[in-house]
Amino acid sequence: MTYKELIKRAEEAMWTAYAPYSRYRVGAAIECRDGTVFTGCNIENAAYGECLCAERVAAAKAVSAGRTDFMRIAVISDSDEYCMPCGSCRQFLSEFSRDMEFLCARKDTSYVCYSMKDLLPHAFSSEILY
Ligand code: THU
């Protein structure tokens, strides 16, 4: 799948966002090594702390379908700024891939590309656990 196609999948998911509080819609599309794509949107809640980010919704759908071989993720919002994944999403995704790519897009679908190492250097990982 091309980068533009993956961003298009994220954009489609963005329109399903449930974001009545922030009105900031986010869509994400994760591509696995064989080209399978899982999408997600942000899902907010009146108890604000329970809000789910689009990236983690997409990742949870993938993991619950038995897939953790993430190659890249596209993230987009309906804003003029590039949509950067929050720190929690970076950490959550780093559990599954230390070398995935992030395509961070804005509403006109232009994007900037980063690696996991760019966005989360010196990550906390299971290697240091007992
Ligand atoms: N949000 C995401 O979906 N992904 C991020 O990486 C950052 C923030 C959502 C959460 C909330 O619904 C809205 O954007 C505003 O913070």
Side-chain angles (χ1 to χ4, degrees):
M1 175 168 285
T2 66
Y3 285 11
K4 279 285 176 193
E5 285 167 341
L6 193 64
I7 290 165
K8 208 75 203 154
R9 293 291 305 274
E11 187 185 29
E12 285 163 17
M14 180 185 82
W15 294 116
T16 67
Y18 178 74
Y21 305 106
S22 72
R23 304 203 178 278
Y24 183 75
R25 297 187 184 90
V26 184
I30 288 186
E31 184 175 3
C32 300
R33 299 220 170 264
D34 69 352
T36 306
V37 172
F38 295 89
T39 62
C41 61
N42 56 329
I43 306 171
E44 298 186 344
N45 192 277
Y48 294 171
E50 307 312 318
C51 294
L52 302 177
C53 288
E55 299 93 314
R56 276 179 280 169
V57 170
K61 284 167 69 176
V63 175
S64 62
R67 301 298 299 269
T68 58
D69 56 329
F70 303 157
M71 190 162 61
R72 66 180 58 90
I73 184 168
V75 192
I76 190 169
S77 75
D78 57 346
S79 144
D80 292 328
E81 304 296 328
Y82 294 115
C83 189
M84 299 302 299
C86 75
S88 297
C89 287
R90 296 176 197 195
Q91 176 66 36
F92 191 88
L93 291 165
S94 80
E95 178 75 16
F96 305 109
S97 170
R98 295 295 306 137
D99 62 3
M100 66 188 293
E101 291 178 310
F102 291 79
L103 311 177
C104 306
R106 52 188 177 189
K107 73 177 177 197
D108 67 1
T109 73
S110 60
Y111 63 94
V112 286
C113 184
Y114 296 99
S115 69
M116 175 63 87
K117 287 183 180 69
D118 292 330
L119 296 189
L120 193 66
H122 313 293
F124 182 84
S125 93
S126 62
E127 281 152 38
I128 66 137
L129 297 179
Y130 301 112

PDB file of all heavy atoms in Angstrom, residues 21-51:
ATOM      1  N   TYR A  21     -16.481  16.418  22.747  1.00  0.00           N
ATOM      2  CA  TYR A  21     -15.932  17.330  23.760  1.00  0.00           C
ATOM      3  C   TYR A  21     -14.814  18.195  23.185  1.00  0.00           C
ATOM      4  O   TYR A  21     -14.860  19.418  23.273  1.00  0.00           O
ATOM      5  CB  TYR A  21     -15.492  16.527  24.995  1.00  0.00           C
ATOM      6  CG  TYR A  21     -16.638  15.690  25.502  1.00  0.00           C
ATOM      7  CD1 TYR A  21     -16.672  14.317  25.306  1.00  0.00           C
ATOM      8  CD2 TYR A  21     -17.754  16.306  26.089  1.00  0.00           C
ATOM      9  CE1 TYR A  21     -17.762  13.559  25.709  1.00  0.00           C
ATOM     10  CE2 TYR A  21     -18.849  15.555  26.486  1.00  0.00           C
ATOM     11  CZ  TYR A  21     -18.853  14.183  26.292  1.00  0.00           C
ATOM     12  OH  TYR A  21     -19.942  13.443  26.679  1.00  0.00           O
ATOM     13  N   SER A  22     -13.820  17.567  22.584  1.00  0.00           N
ATOM     14  CA  SER A  22     -12.716  18.357  22.016  1.00  0.00           C
ATOM     15  C   SER A  22     -13.037  18.835  20.593  1.00  0.00           C
ATOM     16  O   SER A  22     -12.436  19.785  20.116  1.00  0.00           O
ATOM     17  CB  SER A  22     -11.441  17.509  21.959  1.00  0.00           C
ATOM     18  OG  SER A  22     -11.541  16.516  20.952  1.00  0.00           O
ATOM     19  N   ARG A  23     -13.931  18.141  19.927  1.00  0.00           N
ATOM     20  CA  ARG A  23     -14.223  18.388  18.499  1.00  0.00           C
ATOM     21  C   ARG A  23     -12.961  18.260  17.639  1.00  0.00           C
ATOM     22  O   ARG A  23     -12.864  18.825  16.560  1.00  0.00           O
ATOM     23  CB  ARG A  23     -14.906  19.737  18.275  1.00  0.00           C
ATOM     24  CG  ARG A  23     -16.179  19.888  19.068  1.00  0.00           C
ATOM     25  CD  ARG A  23     -17.125  20.911  18.487  1.00  0.00           C
ATOM     26  NE  ARG A  23     -18.353  20.966  19.273  1.00  0.00           N
ATOM     27  CZ  ARG A  23     -19.365  20.118  19.128  1.00  0.00           C
ATOM     28  NH1 ARG A  23     -19.313  19.166  18.213  1.00  0.00           N
ATOM     29  NH2 ARG A  23     -20.435  20.217  19.897  1.00  0.00           N
ATOM     30  N   TYR A  24     -11.991  17.517  18.150  1.00  0.00           N
ATOM     31  CA  TYR A  24     -10.745  17.249  17.421  1.00  0.00           C
ATOM     32  C   TYR A  24     -10.809  15.795  16.965  1.00  0.00           C
ATOM     33  O   TYR A  24     -10.657  14.870  17.764  1.00  0.00           O
ATOM     34  CB  TYR A  24      -9.559  17.492  18.354  1.00  0.00           C
ATOM     35  CG  TYR A  24      -8.199  17.336  17.726  1.00  0.00           C
ATOM     36  CD1 TYR A  24      -7.679  18.311  16.877  1.00  0.00           C
ATOM     37  CD2 TYR A  24      -7.416  16.212  18.003  1.00  0.00           C
ATOM     38  CE1 TYR A  24      -6.419  18.160  16.312  1.00  0.00           C
ATOM     39  CE2 TYR A  24      -6.156  16.061  17.458  1.00  0.00           C
ATOM     40  CZ  TYR A  24      -5.663  17.037  16.609  1.00  0.00           C
ATOM     41  OH  TYR A  24      -4.414  16.882  16.063  1.00  0.00           O
ATOM     42  N   ARG A  25     -11.091  15.606  15.697  1.00  0.00           N
ATOM     43  CA  ARG A  25     -11.230  14.242  15.163  1.00  0.00           C
ATOM     44  C   ARG A  25      -9.875  13.698  14.747  1.00  0.00           C
ATOM     45  O   ARG A  25      -9.101  14.403  14.093  1.00  0.00           O
ATOM     46  CB  ARG A  25     -12.135  14.231  13.938  1.00  0.00           C
ATOM     47  CG  ARG A  25     -13.556  14.645  14.186  1.00  0.00           C
ATOM     48  CD  ARG A  25     -14.332  14.390  12.901  1.00  0.00           C
ATOM     49  NE  ARG A  25     -15.691  14.847  13.004  1.00  0.00           N
ATOM     50  CZ  ARG A  25     -16.091  16.073  12.679  1.00  0.00           C
ATOM     51  NH1 ARG A  25     -15.219  16.953  12.223  1.00  0.00           N
ATOM     52  NH2 ARG A  25     -17.348  16.422  12.803  1.00  0.00           N
ATOM     53  N   VAL A  26      -9.629  12.441  15.106  1.00  0.00           N
ATOM     54  CA  VAL A  26      -8.367  11.783  14.735  1.00  0.00           C
ATOM     55  C   VAL A  26      -8.697  10.426  14.115  1.00  0.00           C
ATOM     56  O   VAL A  26      -9.610   9.724  14.581  1.00  0.00           O
ATOM     57  CB  VAL A  26      -7.453  11.566  15.968  1.00  0.00           C
ATOM     58  CG1 VAL A  26      -6.111  10.981  15.547  1.00  0.00           C
ATOM     59  CG2 VAL A  26      -7.241  12.874  16.724  1.00  0.00           C
ATOM     60  N   GLY A  27      -7.948  10.079  13.065  1.00  0.00           N
ATOM     61  CA  GLY A  27      -8.064   8.742  12.462  1.00  0.00           C
ATOM     62  C   GLY A  27      -6.684   8.128  12.367  1.00  0.00           C
ATOM     63  O   GLY A  27      -5.680   8.844  12.223  1.00  0.00           O
ATOM     64  N   ALA A  28      -6.625   6.812  12.479  1.00  0.00           N
ATOM     65  CA  ALA A  28      -5.341   6.105  12.384  1.00  0.00           C
ATOM     66  C   ALA A  28      -5.513   4.851  11.542  1.00  0.00           C
ATOM     67  O   ALA A  28      -6.598   4.246  11.531  1.00  0.00           O
ATOM     68  CB  ALA A  28      -4.834   5.731  13.783  1.00  0.00           C
ATOM     69  N   ALA A  29      -4.463   4.479  10.835  1.00  0.00           N
ATOM     70  CA  ALA A  29      -4.467   3.232  10.063  1.00  0.00           C
ATOM     71  C   ALA A  29      -3.099   2.582  10.242  1.00  0.00           C
ATOM     72  O   ALA A  29      -2.072   3.193   9.925  1.00  0.00           O
ATOM     73  CB  ALA A  29      -4.739   3.508   8.595  1.00  0.00           C
ATOM     74  N   ILE A  30      -3.099   1.371  10.794  1.00  0.00           N
ATOM     75  CA  ILE A  30      -1.859   0.610  11.021  1.00  0.00           C
ATOM     76  C   ILE A  30      -1.726  -0.426   9.918  1.00  0.00           C
ATOM     77  O   ILE A  30      -2.683  -1.180   9.650  1.00  0.00           O
ATOM     78  CB  ILE A  30      -1.907  -0.133  12.372  1.00  0.00           C
ATOM     79  CG1 ILE A  30      -1.785   0.861  13.510  1.00  0.00           C
ATOM     80  CG2 ILE A  30      -0.799  -1.178  12.467  1.00  0.00           C
ATOM     81  CD1 ILE A  30      -1.675   0.199  14.867  1.00  0.00           C
ATOM     82  N   GLU A  31      -0.548  -0.470   9.315  1.00  0.00           N
ATOM     83  CA  GLU A  31      -0.286  -1.483   8.281  1.00  0.00           C
ATOM     84  C   GLU A  31       0.647  -2.554   8.833  1.00  0.00           C
ATOM     85  O   GLU A  31       1.711  -2.244   9.379  1.00  0.00           O
ATOM     86  CB  GLU A  31       0.344  -0.817   7.052  1.00  0.00           C
ATOM     87  CG  GLU A  31       0.550  -1.784   5.907  1.00  0.00           C
ATOM     88  CD  GLU A  31       1.059  -1.120   4.641  1.00  0.00           C
ATOM     89  OE1 GLU A  31       1.324   0.101   4.648  1.00  0.00           O
ATOM     90  OE2 GLU A  31       1.191  -1.843   3.634  1.00  0.00           O
ATOM     91  N   CYS A  32       0.233  -3.804   8.697  1.00  0.00           N
ATOM     92  CA  CYS A  32       1.059  -4.941   9.120  1.00  0.00           C
ATOM     93  C   CYS A  32       1.970  -5.366   7.959  1.00  0.00           C
ATOM     94  O   CYS A  32       1.833  -4.892   6.833  1.00  0.00           O
ATOM     95  CB  CYS A  32       0.163  -6.101   9.543  1.00  0.00           C
ATOM     96  SG  CYS A  32      -0.919  -5.691  10.920  1.00  0.00           S
ATOM     97  N   ARG A  33       2.907  -6.279   8.260  1.00  0.00           N
ATOM     98  CA  ARG A  33       3.946  -6.616   7.275  1.00  0.00           C
ATOM     99  C   ARG A  33       3.384  -7.214   5.990  1.00  0.00           C
ATOM    100  O   ARG A  33       3.981  -7.061   4.924  1.00  0.00           O
ATOM    101  CB  ARG A  33       4.994  -7.544   7.901  1.00  0.00           C
ATOM    102  CG  ARG A  33       5.686  -6.879   9.080  1.00  0.00           C
ATOM    103  CD  ARG A  33       7.187  -7.130   9.174  1.00  0.00           C
ATOM    104  NE  ARG A  33       7.754  -6.245  10.187  1.00  0.00           N
ATOM    105  CZ  ARG A  33       8.322  -5.065   9.926  1.00  0.00           C
ATOM    106  NH1 ARG A  33       8.459  -4.642   8.693  1.00  0.00           N
ATOM    107  NH2 ARG A  33       8.776  -4.299  10.914  1.00  0.00           N
ATOM    108  N   ASP A  34       2.226  -7.882   6.056  1.00  0.00           N
ATOM    109  CA  ASP A  34       1.645  -8.458   4.830  1.00  0.00           C
ATOM    110  C   ASP A  34       0.660  -7.493   4.150  1.00  0.00           C
ATOM    111  O   ASP A  34      -0.041  -7.880   3.222  1.00  0.00           O
ATOM    112  CB  ASP A  34       0.948  -9.786   5.145  1.00  0.00           C
ATOM    113  CG  ASP A  34      -0.309  -9.595   5.978  1.00  0.00           C
ATOM    114  OD1 ASP A  34      -0.570  -8.459   6.448  1.00  0.00           O
ATOM    115  OD2 ASP A  34      -1.049 -10.588   6.164  1.00  0.00           O
ATOM    116  N   GLY A  35       0.582  -6.265   4.627  1.00  0.00           N
ATOM    117  CA  GLY A  35      -0.293  -5.268   3.999  1.00  0.00           C
ATOM    118  C   GLY A  35      -1.672  -5.151   4.629  1.00  0.00           C
ATOM    119  O   GLY A  35      -2.448  -4.280   4.255  1.00  0.00           O
ATOM    120  N   THR A  36      -1.984  -6.018   5.593  1.00  0.00           N
ATOM    121  CA  THR A  36      -3.272  -5.911   6.288  1.00  0.00           C
ATOM    122  C   THR A  36      -3.317  -4.595   7.066  1.00  0.00           C
ATOM    123  O   THR A  36      -2.327  -4.202   7.691  1.00  0.00           O
ATOM    124  CB  THR A  36      -3.463  -7.078   7.282  1.00  0.00           C
ATOM    125  OG1 THR A  36      -3.276  -8.297   6.570  1.00  0.00           O
ATOM    126  CG2 THR A  36      -4.849  -7.055   7.908  1.00  0.00           C
ATOM    127  N   VAL A  37      -4.483  -3.933   6.999  1.00  0.00           N
ATOM    128  CA  VAL A  37      -4.627  -2.627   7.649  1.00  0.00           C
ATOM    129  C   VAL A  37      -5.744  -2.674   8.693  1.00  0.00           C
ATOM    130  O   VAL A  37      -6.816  -3.244   8.442  1.00  0.00           O
ATOM    131  CB  VAL A  37      -4.948  -1.539   6.593  1.00  0.00           C
ATOM    132  CG1 VAL A  37      -5.287  -0.205   7.255  1.00  0.00           C
ATOM    133  CG2 VAL A  37      -3.763  -1.368   5.640  1.00  0.00           C
ATOM    134  N   PHE A  38      -5.469  -2.082   9.846  1.00  0.00           N
ATOM    135  CA  PHE A  38      -6.482  -1.915  10.900  1.00  0.00           C
ATOM    136  C   PHE A  38      -6.630  -0.420  11.152  1.00  0.00           C
ATOM    137  O   PHE A  38      -5.622   0.292  11.262  1.00  0.00           O
ATOM    138  CB  PHE A  38      -6.055  -2.629  12.187  1.00  0.00           C
ATOM    139  CG  PHE A  38      -5.971  -4.124  12.034  1.00  0.00           C
ATOM    140  CD1 PHE A  38      -4.789  -4.728  11.605  1.00  0.00           C
ATOM    141  CD2 PHE A  38      -7.070  -4.931  12.291  1.00  0.00           C
ATOM    142  CE1 PHE A  38      -4.704  -6.106  11.443  1.00  0.00           C
ATOM    143  CE2 PHE A  38      -7.004  -6.312  12.140  1.00  0.00           C
ATOM    144  CZ  PHE A  38      -5.820  -6.898  11.713  1.00  0.00           C
ATOM    145  N   THR A  39      -7.865   0.028  11.245  1.00  0.00           N
ATOM    146  CA  THR A  39      -8.101   1.466  11.436  1.00  0.00           C
ATOM    147  C   THR A  39      -8.725   1.736  12.805  1.00  0.00           C
ATOM    148  O   THR A  39      -9.295   0.840  13.437  1.00  0.00           O
ATOM    149  CB  THR A  39      -9.038   2.022  10.348  1.00  0.00           C
ATOM    150  OG1 THR A  39     -10.295   1.361  10.446  1.00  0.00           O
ATOM    151  CG2 THR A  39      -8.441   1.842   8.966  1.00  0.00           C
ATOM    152  N   GLY A  40      -8.613   2.994  13.223  1.00  0.00           N
ATOM    153  CA  GLY A  40      -9.229   3.407  14.486  1.00  0.00           C
ATOM    154  C   GLY A  40      -9.506   4.898  14.479  1.00  0.00           C
ATOM    155  O   GLY A  40      -8.953   5.637  13.647  1.00  0.00           O
ATOM    156  N   CYS A  41     -10.389   5.311  15.378  1.00  0.00           N
ATOM    157  CA  CYS A  41     -10.685   6.742  15.535  1.00  0.00           C
ATOM    158  C   CYS A  41     -10.638   7.041  17.029  1.00  0.00           C
ATOM    159  O   CYS A  41     -10.670   6.115  17.852  1.00  0.00           O
ATOM    160  CB  CYS A  41     -12.078   7.068  14.986  1.00  0.00           C
ATOM    161  SG  CYS A  41     -13.388   6.187  15.845  1.00  0.00           S
ATOM    162  N   ASN A  42     -10.560   8.321  17.382  1.00  0.00           N
ATOM    163  CA  ASN A  42     -10.633   8.642  18.810  1.00  0.00           C
ATOM    164  C   ASN A  42     -12.075   8.512  19.294  1.00  0.00           C
ATOM    165  O   ASN A  42     -13.033   8.761  18.549  1.00  0.00           O
ATOM    166  CB  ASN A  42     -10.019  10.003  19.132  1.00  0.00           C
ATOM    167  CG  ASN A  42     -10.611  11.167  18.363  1.00  0.00           C
ATOM    168  OD1 ASN A  42     -11.049  11.012  17.236  1.00  0.00           O
ATOM    169  ND2 ASN A  42     -10.613  12.334  18.967  1.00  0.00           N
ATOM    170  N   ILE A  43     -12.200   8.085  20.539  1.00  0.00           N
ATOM    171  CA  ILE A  43     -13.508   7.836  21.159  1.00  0.00           C
ATOM    172  C   ILE A  43     -13.497   8.521  22.524  1.00  0.00           C
ATOM    173  O   ILE A  43     -12.772   8.083  23.429  1.00  0.00           O
ATOM    174  CB  ILE A  43     -13.772   6.329  21.317  1.00  0.00           C
ATOM    175  CG1 ILE A  43     -13.604   5.599  19.973  1.00  0.00           C
ATOM    176  CG2 ILE A  43     -15.178   6.087  21.887  1.00  0.00           C
ATOM    177  CD1 ILE A  43     -13.633   4.076  20.077  1.00  0.00           C
ATOM    178  N   GLU A  44     -14.256   9.595  22.628  1.00  0.00           N
ATOM    179  CA  GLU A  44     -14.241  10.375  23.868  1.00  0.00           C
ATOM    180  C   GLU A  44     -15.356   9.930  24.815  1.00  0.00           C
ATOM    181  O   GLU A  44     -16.228   9.132  24.455  1.00  0.00           O
ATOM    182  CB  GLU A  44     -14.346  11.867  23.527  1.00  0.00           C
ATOM    183  CG  GLU A  44     -13.144  12.312  22.694  1.00  0.00           C
ATOM    184  CD  GLU A  44     -13.067  13.795  22.424  1.00  0.00           C
ATOM    185  OE1 GLU A  44     -14.078  14.503  22.614  1.00  0.00           O
ATOM    186  OE2 GLU A  44     -11.984  14.247  22.018  1.00  0.00           O
ATOM    187  N   ASN A  45     -15.278  10.475  26.035  1.00  0.00           N
ATOM    188  CA  ASN A  45     -16.232  10.094  27.073  1.00  0.00           C
ATOM    189  C   ASN A  45     -16.461  11.292  27.979  1.00  0.00           C
ATOM    190  O   ASN A  45     -15.539  12.091  28.187  1.00  0.00           O
ATOM    191  CB  ASN A  45     -15.657   8.914  27.880  1.00  0.00           C
ATOM    192  CG  ASN A  45     -16.684   8.294  28.772  1.00  0.00           C
ATOM    193  OD1 ASN A  45     -16.942   8.770  29.876  1.00  0.00           O
ATOM    194  ND2 ASN A  45     -17.289   7.219  28.319  1.00  0.00           N
ATOM    195  N   ALA A  46     -17.670  11.395  28.534  1.00  0.00           N
ATOM    196  CA  ALA A  46     -17.991  12.494  29.445  1.00  0.00           C
ATOM    197  C   ALA A  46     -17.034  12.504  30.635  1.00  0.00           C
ATOM    198  O   ALA A  46     -16.734  13.564  31.188  1.00  0.00           O
ATOM    199  CB  ALA A  46     -19.430  12.370  29.922  1.00  0.00           C
ATOM    200  N   ALA A  47     -16.550  11.345  31.033  1.00  0.00           N
ATOM    201  CA  ALA A  47     -15.463  11.261  32.019  1.00  0.00           C
ATOM    202  C   ALA A  47     -14.173  11.354  31.202  1.00  0.00           C
ATOM    203  O   ALA A  47     -13.698  10.351  30.653  1.00  0.00           O
ATOM    204  CB  ALA A  47     -15.540   9.951  32.790  1.00  0.00           C
ATOM    205  N   TYR A  48     -13.635  12.555  31.071  1.00  0.00           N
ATOM    206  CA  TYR A  48     -12.593  12.827  30.072  1.00  0.00           C
ATOM    207  C   TYR A  48     -11.416  11.849  30.102  1.00  0.00           C
ATOM    208  O   TYR A  48     -10.843  11.526  29.076  1.00  0.00           O
ATOM    209  CB  TYR A  48     -12.052  14.257  30.240  1.00  0.00           C
ATOM    210  CG  TYR A  48     -13.037  15.359  29.941  1.00  0.00           C
ATOM    211  CD1 TYR A  48     -12.717  16.674  30.249  1.00  0.00           C
ATOM    212  CD2 TYR A  48     -14.285  15.100  29.361  1.00  0.00           C
ATOM    213  CE1 TYR A  48     -13.617  17.706  29.988  1.00  0.00           C
ATOM    214  CE2 TYR A  48     -15.176  16.126  29.109  1.00  0.00           C
ATOM    215  CZ  TYR A  48     -14.854  17.428  29.422  1.00  0.00           C
ATOM    216  OH  TYR A  48     -15.729  18.439  29.165  1.00  0.00           O
ATOM    217  N   GLY A  49     -11.067  11.405  31.294  1.00  0.00           N
ATOM    218  CA  GLY A  49      -9.912  10.510  31.427  1.00  0.00           C
ATOM    219  C   GLY A  49     -10.086   9.174  30.724  1.00  0.00           C
ATOM    220  O   GLY A  49      -9.113   8.441  30.532  1.00  0.00           O
ATOM    221  N   GLU A  50     -11.307   8.871  30.352  1.00  0.00           N
ATOM    222  CA  GLU A  50     -11.576   7.580  29.687  1.00  0.00           C
ATOM    223  C   GLU A  50     -11.468   7.667  28.165  1.00  0.00           C
ATOM    224  O   GLU A  50     -11.730   6.685  27.468  1.00  0.00           O
ATOM    225  CB  GLU A  50     -12.968   7.052  30.058  1.00  0.00           C
ATOM    226  CG  GLU A  50     -13.236   6.974  31.559  1.00  0.00           C
ATOM    227  CD  GLU A  50     -12.104   6.316  32.319  1.00  0.00           C
ATOM    228  OE1 GLU A  50     -11.567   5.309  31.826  1.00  0.00           O
ATOM    229  OE2 GLU A  50     -11.750   6.831  33.394  1.00  0.00           O
ATOM    230  N   CYS A  51     -11.099   8.840  27.636  1.00  0.00           N
ATOM    231  CA  CYS A  51     -11.003   8.993  26.172  1.00  0.00           C
ATOM    232  C   CYS A  51      -9.957   8.039  25.591  1.00  0.00           C
ATOM    233  O   CYS A  51      -8.909   7.819  26.196  1.00  0.00           O
ATOM    234  CB  CYS A  51     -10.633  10.420  25.808  1.00  0.00           C
ATOM    235  SG  CYS A  51     -11.914  11.607  26.237  1.00  0.00           S
TER     236      CYS A  51
END
